[in-house]
Amino acid sequence: MILTPSPARASAARIGIGGPVGSGKTALIERLIPVLAGRGVDLAIVTNDLVTKEDAERLRRSGLIDPARVSAVEAGACPHTVIREDPTLNIAAGDALEAAFPGLDLLIFESGGDNLASTFSLDLVDWWIFVIDVAGGDDIPRKRGPGVLRCDLLVVNKTDLAPHVGIDLPAMLAEATAVRGGKAMIATNARAGDGIDAVADAICRAVLFAP
């Protein structure tokens, strides 16, 4: 179903995507861009890196989105500091994108790679995703990090690697569901596009209030 963005929306919905280094956050965003755009969602992105703009440049070169719709924040410290302790830089970057592109429906804030304690301030985002990957180990759910427990949606990425790294994927997914008390979780293979439509569905329902 094609979404019809409401002209009455006062400001864009803001979501966060966080998770450890290499879990596939940027790859997930690359897959989400065309899926959300195909549903009529007008979006822009703010990336966070420690002392570089690497993720922003990757998205700008991708050809998937107008490069001007991608803003980069350099945290200069542990990435969670600018998405949790003091999100001022990110708020300002988001506000600047909304001013430049009136009518935005969605702003995506990608955190720089961080640890399992990384969480988003609700002063910055309305809803957030935490990405872990199968290759990081099937003990991640058992470690019960705040990112895994508190996120609105847990994404378990790189499911295709399970047989290559000795992971019992169904058991890992079951354990993640158990520690989260049944809160939303989606298994993905972002490289191949598996599970991306389900993630887009979750975003549309939760923050854009569309089916």
Short mmCIF file of all heavy atoms in Angstrom, two decimals, residues 34-35 60 63 73 94 114 138 157 170 173 187 192 194 202:
data_model
loop_
_atom_site.label_atom_id
_atom_site.label_comp_id
_atom_site.label_asym_id
_atom_site.label_seq_id
_atom_site.Cartn_x
_atom_site.Cartn_y
_atom_site.Cartn_z
N PRO A 34 14.95 2.42 -0.26
CA PRO A 34 14.04 2.25 -1.39
C PRO A 34 12.69 1.66 -1.01
O PRO A 34 11.67 1.97 -1.63
CB PRO A 34 14.81 1.33 -2.34
CG PRO A 34 15.79 0.62 -1.49
CD PRO A 34 16.16 1.58 -0.40
N VAL A 35 12.67 0.81 0.03
CA VAL A 35 11.40 0.21 0.45
C VAL A 35 10.48 1.29 1.01
O VAL A 35 9.29 1.39 0.65
CB VAL A 35 11.64 -0.90 1.48
CG1 VAL A 35 10.32 -1.39 2.07
CG2 VAL A 35 12.39 -2.06 0.84
N ARG A 60 25.73 8.65 0.93
CA ARG A 60 25.69 9.66 -0.13
C ARG A 60 26.14 9.09 -1.46
O ARG A 60 25.62 9.49 -2.52
CB ARG A 60 26.58 10.84 0.27
CG ARG A 60 26.02 11.70 1.39
CD ARG A 60 27.05 12.66 1.93
NE ARG A 60 26.52 13.49 3.01
CZ ARG A 60 27.28 14.08 3.93
NH1 ARG A 60 28.61 13.94 3.90
NH2 ARG A 60 26.72 14.80 4.89
N GLY A 63 23.68 6.27 -4.22
CA GLY A 63 22.71 6.52 -5.27
C GLY A 63 21.28 6.24 -4.85
O GLY A 63 20.36 6.36 -5.66
N VAL A 73 27.17 13.54 11.94
CA VAL A 73 27.59 14.05 13.24
C VAL A 73 28.84 13.28 13.65
O VAL A 73 28.87 12.06 13.59
CB VAL A 73 26.49 13.86 14.30
CG1 VAL A 73 27.03 14.15 15.70
CG2 VAL A 73 25.30 14.77 14.01
N GLY A 94 19.01 17.10 12.92
CA GLY A 94 17.67 16.76 12.48
C GLY A 94 16.84 17.99 12.17
O GLY A 94 16.13 18.04 11.15
N ASP A 114 28.47 0.79 18.75
CA ASP A 114 28.66 0.93 20.19
C ASP A 114 28.41 -0.43 20.84
O ASP A 114 28.18 -1.43 20.16
CB ASP A 114 27.70 1.99 20.73
CG ASP A 114 28.24 2.69 21.97
OD1 ASP A 114 29.11 2.12 22.65
OD2 ASP A 114 27.78 3.81 22.26
N ASP A 138 25.88 -16.24 19.80
CA ASP A 138 24.52 -16.52 20.24
C ASP A 138 24.31 -16.21 21.71
O ASP A 138 23.19 -16.34 22.23
CB ASP A 138 24.15 -17.98 19.95
CG ASP A 138 25.06 -18.99 20.63
OD1 ASP A 138 26.00 -18.55 21.34
OD2 ASP A 138 24.85 -20.20 20.45
N ASN A 157 20.50 -9.66 12.71
CA ASN A 157 20.94 -9.59 11.32
C ASN A 157 21.97 -10.69 10.98
O ASN A 157 22.48 -11.37 11.87
CB ASN A 157 21.54 -8.20 11.07
CG ASN A 157 21.78 -7.93 9.60
OD1 ASN A 157 21.03 -8.40 8.73
ND2 ASN A 157 22.81 -7.18 9.30
N PRO A 170 17.53 -20.85 15.35
CA PRO A 170 16.23 -20.88 16.05
C PRO A 170 16.37 -20.72 17.56
O PRO A 170 15.55 -20.05 18.20
CB PRO A 170 15.66 -22.25 15.66
CG PRO A 170 16.29 -22.55 14.34
CD PRO A 170 17.68 -21.99 14.45
N LEU A 173 17.14 -17.02 18.37
CA LEU A 173 15.95 -16.19 18.22
C LEU A 173 14.96 -16.44 19.36
O LEU A 173 14.34 -15.50 19.88
CB LEU A 173 15.28 -16.45 16.88
CG LEU A 173 16.11 -16.11 15.64
CD1 LEU A 173 15.34 -16.46 14.37
CD2 LEU A 173 16.51 -14.64 15.63
N ALA A 187 14.21 -11.15 12.37
CA ALA A 187 15.46 -11.71 11.85
C ALA A 187 15.65 -11.24 10.42
O ALA A 187 14.71 -11.26 9.62
CB ALA A 187 15.42 -13.23 11.91
N ALA A 192 21.00 -9.52 1.62
CA ALA A 192 20.12 -10.12 0.62
C ALA A 192 18.74 -9.49 0.59
O ALA A 192 17.95 -9.77 -0.31
CB ALA A 192 20.00 -11.62 0.88
N ASP A 194 16.47 -9.94 3.01
CA ASP A 194 15.50 -10.75 3.76
C ASP A 194 15.08 -10.03 5.03
O ASP A 194 15.91 -9.56 5.80
CB ASP A 194 16.12 -12.10 4.14
CG ASP A 194 16.52 -12.93 2.94
OD1 ASP A 194 15.99 -12.67 1.84
OD2 ASP A 194 17.37 -13.84 3.10
N ALA A 202 7.06 -2.48 10.45
CA ALA A 202 7.09 -2.11 11.87
C ALA A 202 7.25 -0.60 12.03
O ALA A 202 6.59 0.02 12.87
CB ALA A 202 8.22 -2.85 12.58
#
